[in-house]
Amino acid sequence: MNDAPVAPLPAAKDFKSDTTPIWCPGCGDYGVLTSLARALAALACRREEVAIVSGIGCSSRMPAYMNCYGFHGVHGRALPVATGLKVSRPDLTVIATGGDGDGYSIGGNHFLHACRRNVDLTYIVMDNHVYGMTKGQASPTTEPDWDNALTPGGTGLRPFQPLVIALASGANFVARAFSGDVIGTADIIAKAVRSPGFSFVEVLSPCITFRAEQRHWKELARPAPVATTDDPARAARRIMTDDGFNIGVLYAGDRKPYQPELRRAQRSLQELAREFAL
Ligand SMILES: Cc1ncc(C[n+]2csc(CCOP(=O)(O)OP(=O)(O)O)c2C)c(N)n1
Ligand code: SF4
């Protein structure tokens, strides 16, 4: 009989690392970090069972601030890495995190196909409608008339509709959250992780440095006045006609997640390393 003591489950604070975030004071991403830690504790996860995968950007620094497995990778490539990890280690809870630039510009193609594949992952995008890390360029979700030094007069381009695109591409769970509501966001993240298949959580997360006007999002964000639907067309219609500030789980479906049968590796790691040695 194994009498080894079972370690107590980690609390939310245990999911935060000792690394102090270098985000600007007041950045919305602090709230998302706290929500993510709360959600994992509420889900009774153990630190060694969770992996956070990201690309590049202020929001993509998330793995460094979490105390679990993490992979801070290449710009726009969080989802292919997370997908590969989940299909080869289905026992892990895999969460990809990043920003609107990372996920919808350079990573846009991967976003479509991750929704379509429906691997059992959660993807959290901290959307601030700007490239924060590279000092304020317009992103795919930037309003067309956002006038700044880099895009005088605004881009004039139609903004990307991430939630509708996720629905059309096959995501099995689609939600919108607001970083200023830490408890509500934690609840939505927990539901996303519990939901089988690809779960997409768009968190409105203000960049107070390059989009100071986003401080007003706290007055605009409110619970969606409608219940979660399992009809993607209805969810898409609602999202396309709301003002972008309805918060909650907007769609939850029942598509079977994609999980290929695990096979034994054909090559050893040493063999592969030898092949790539310079
Ligand atoms: C291949 C490549 N292209 C461009 C960059 C420069 N770059 C770094 S982060 C970033 C955009 C980040 O914006 P977003 O994902 O919205 O994150 P935020 O900083 O706003 O959280 C860009 C263009 C890069 N690191 N790698
Ligand atoms: S630049 Fe914007 S997104 Fe980046 S840390 Fe500062 S407030 Fe946050």
Side-chain angles (χ1 to χ4, degrees), residues 29 56-59 75 99-102 106 128 130-134:
D29 297 351
I56 301 290
C58 299
S59 41
H75 196 29
D100 40 304
D102 188 76
I106 192 168
N128 52 19
V130 75
Y131 292 4
M133 177 174 265
T134 47

Side-chain angles (χ1 to χ4, degrees), residues 82-92 94 116-121 196-198 255-263:
T83 302
L85 178 60
K86 182 65 188 185
V87 295
S88 55
R89 285 288 308 271
D91 54 308
L92 290 178
V94 179
R116 187 171 73 88
R117 284 196 187 96
N118 198 34
V119 169
D120 188 17
L121 301 173
F198 188 81
R255 273 185 75 206
K256 194 169 171 288
Y258 173 75
Q259 176 57 56
E261 203 181 312
L262 287 180
R263 281 174 298 178

Side-chain angles (χ1 to χ4, degrees), residues 71-87:
F71 186 93
H72 187 184
V74 183
H75 196 29
R77 271 53 178 185
L79 286 173
V81 173
T83 302
L85 178 60
K86 182 65 188 185
V87 295

Side-chain angles (χ1 to χ4, degrees), residues 23-24 27 29 58 128 132 207-210:
W23 291 319
C24 310
C27 175
D29 297 351
C58 299
N128 52 19
C207 172
I208 48 89
T209 299
F210 295 105

